[in-house]
């Protein structure tokens, strides 16, 4: 009887110890920090945008309307041209913008609402630029200048937020 009682106690202690060590394993994996969550969201966003840049529509947009691939050979011309958008370019821009909607959705999931708000504000303002370009109210050069200014403002807001708020 003593042996059975001792075996039962050892088994119970062993089970408790096993359960404790399993729980400790799960607890040992820390939750990602806000900085890590932001980094992951930025990575997903960049991957999404990079995928959209591979389409035929993106190639037309990059060559004739906006620099979407860094160091485009056409960059300076895109900022200085007074040409209005053609019907073919408008179709390409519309298709390209539709393909970026999934990416825009990713940007709304940043773990810091203020940072997600910077993206949302940028998109609402740049959509006006796109609409003005598509309706031929502004030239391709004017659209590039306006979009560039909006991008600079968004980058400045992001840097400003990060420098004034501690993000772990």
């Amino acid at each position: 009887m003593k042996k059975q009682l001792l075996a039962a106690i050892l088994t119970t202690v062993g089970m408790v110890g096993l359960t404790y060590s399993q729980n400790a394993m799960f607890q040992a994996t820390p939750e990602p920090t806000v900085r890590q969550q932001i980094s992951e969201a930025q990575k997903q966003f960049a991957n999404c945008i990079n995928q959209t840049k591979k389409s035929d529509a993106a190639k037309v947009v990059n060559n004739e309307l906006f620099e979407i691939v860094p160091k485009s050979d056409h960059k300076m011309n895109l900022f200085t041209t007074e040409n209005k958008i053609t019907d073919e370019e408008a179709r390409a821009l519309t298709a390209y913008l539709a393909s970026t909607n999934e990416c825009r959705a990713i940007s709304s999931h940043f773990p810091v609402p203020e940072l997600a708000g910077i993206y949302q504000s940028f998109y609402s303002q740049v959509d006006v630029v796109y609409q003005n370009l598509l309706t031929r109210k502004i030239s391709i050069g004017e659209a590039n200048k306006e979009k560039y200014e909006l991008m600079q403002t968004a980058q400045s807001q992001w840097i400003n937020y990060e420098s004034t708020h501690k993000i772990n």
Side-chain angles (χ1 to χ4, degrees), residues 39-163:
S39 179
E40 182 59 30
Q42 286 175 317
K43 182 179 172 184
Q44 290 174 359
F45 181 75
N47 288 339
C48 183
I49 289 294
N50 287 333
Q51 286 300 313
T52 66
K53 291 178 182 180
K54 295 177 181 178
S55 71
D56 289 338
K59 291 172 186 165
V60 171
V61 171
N62 188 62
N63 289 330
E64 301 175 25
L65 299 174
F66 294 101
E67 179 189 43
I68 59 173
V69 176
K71 300 181 180 161
S72 169
D73 295 336
H74 307 92
K75 182 177 182 174
M76 290 314 296
N77 185 47
L78 295 176
F79 276 85
T80 59
T81 185
E82 294 182 17
N83 293 343
K84 302 282 180 150
I85 194 169
T86 66
D87 290 341
E88 179 187 341
E89 292 166 340
R91 283 189 294 277
L93 179 59
T94 301
Y96 174 72
L97 293 176
S99 72
T100 65
N101 283 336
E102 183 180 322
C103 306
R104 287 182 177 208
I106 292 169
S107 72
S108 68
H109 297 322
F110 274 90
V112 178
E114 293 83 358
L115 296 178
I118 291 170
Y119 272 103
Q120 299 311 310
S121 175
F122 169 76
Y123 285 133
S124 67
Q125 292 172 349
V126 81
D127 283 344
V128 172
V129 174
Y130 294 143
Q131 187 60 36
N132 287 339
L133 179 63
L134 288 167
T135 58
R136 296 174 176 89
K137 290 180 182 175
I138 60 175
S139 70
I140 294 169
E142 291 168 311
N144 273 282
K145 290 172 190 167
E146 289 180 25
K147 182 179 178 185
Y148 179 79
E149 288 175 13
L150 292 172
M151 289 171 58
Q152 293 300 311
T153 299
Q155 287 174 342
S156 176
Q157 290 170 338
W158 187 283
I159 291 168
N160 223 11
Y161 183 86
E162 284 189 324
S163 68

Side-chain angles (χ1 to χ4, degrees), residues 4-19:
Q4 289 175 337
L5 183 59
L6 183 58
I9 291 172
L10 289 176
T11 301
T12 303
V13 169
M15 296 293 271
V16 169
L18 178 63
T19 302

